[in-house]
Amino acid sequence: MQRLRTATQPLHRELDARLRISAPQAAYADVLDHLGLFHAWLLQMLPQIHAMPDSLPAHVAESNLRRLRSLCVDLELPAPAHMHVDPSPALPVSAASLTGYRWGMQYVIEGSMLGAIALYPRIAQIAPDRIPHFFRLALSHGRTPWQTFAHALDNQCLDEAGETAAEQGARDAFALCLKIYHPSALVQASHAN
């Protein structure tokens, strides 16, 4: 776990700096932009994660689907009945390292929910009467999903290759998030609303 934290710390700081909802002048439109970008990120991440040969624990897969559905409610999009699975994800690792890579990607998703909990007070300031379902879901579950995931990750007993692959998966997950949260993407999202 510490290796993943260390490997992603600079990327985490860069992403935090791009979150317009943290700005003093943030409005509800910025909250919806944030949710739309997060939804776009999950739609690219989850099919890859769930297409891998050895499945994640059921509670992790269920949490991912619940998060996706809550975003769909907030964005007024059709909610998926089940997880779409990409039949042939293009992943930059060998088959032997897929497990570690996938757990590294999921590490970033689980961490993002801690981020949603941390942002909740800010969202409550911006829109106290219409806090999105996504943020309410994160707060209602608290740190329990993270702790459960961290325990499961620790029990994976990844070898050196697996840990290296996990670092790569986490970095790739952040890289995709940074690409989606690029300032030009934020401008496009605000014009779309």
Side-chain angles (χ1 to χ4, degrees), residues 1 8 18 30 81 86 95 105 110 139 146 149 157 174 178:
M1 184 72 77
T8 57
R18 294 187 187 185
D30 296 309
D86 184 343
M105 293 178 83
E110 298 296 335
L139 190 68
W146 169 258
F149 173 79
C157 299
F174 262 108
L178 286 165

Side-chain angles (χ1 to χ4, degrees), residues 61-81:
E62 288 163 11
S63 291
N64 283 340
L65 186 55
R66 197 163 41 244
R67 292 159 187 163
L68 196 55
R69 285 175 175 160
S70 70
L71 287 165
C72 289
V73 169
D74 292 325
L75 297 169
E76 299 180 2
L77 298 170

Side-chain angles (χ1 to χ4, degrees), residues 35-128:
L35 294 177
L37 294 169
F38 192 83
H39 178 258
W41 177 66
L42 276 185
L43 283 182
Q44 291 188 53
M45 293 276 293
L46 296 182
Q48 294 185 62
I49 291 173
H50 291 277
M52 296 188 194
D54 54 330
S55 59
L56 284 163
H59 63 85
V60 175
E62 288 163 11
S63 291
N64 283 340
L65 186 55
R66 197 163 41 244
R67 292 159 187 163
L68 196 55
R69 285 175 175 160
S70 70
L71 287 165
C72 289
V73 169
D74 292 325
L75 297 169
E76 299 180 2
L77 298 170
H82 54 81
M83 191 66 64
H84 165 72
V85 173
D86 184 343
S88 56
L91 298 169
V93 291
S94 68
S97 299
L98 283 177
T99 296
Y101 186 84
R102 192 257 317 280
W103 279 85
M105 293 178 83
Q106 186 66 38
Y107 166 86
V108 181
I109 292 176
E110 298 296 335
S112 71
M113 300 312 292
L114 294 181
I117 294 169
L119 284 168
Y120 189 94
R122 179 68 185 125
I123 304 304
Q125 284 180 332
I126 295 169

Side-chain angles (χ1 to χ4, degrees), residues 125-191:
Q125 284 180 332
I126 295 169
D129 298 327
R130 47 182 179 167
I131 295 172
H133 288 80
F134 176 76
F135 289 102
R136 283 190 269 142
L137 175 71
L139 190 68
S140 68
H141 288 276
R143 295 179 62 87
T144 301
W146 169 258
Q147 291 163 343
T148 303
F149 173 79
H151 180 71
L153 177 58
D154 288 341
N155 285 340
Q156 282 299 300
C157 299
L158 298 173
D159 59 15
E160 180 61 29
E163 288 195 6
T164 300
E167 288 180 34
Q168 187 62 51
R171 281 194 294 267
D172 287 353
F174 262 108
L176 176 59
C177 200
L178 286 165
K179 181 179 176 185
I180 289 173
Y181 277 77
H182 189 273
S184 63
L186 292 168
V187 171
Q188 291 167 8
S190 64
H191 289 319

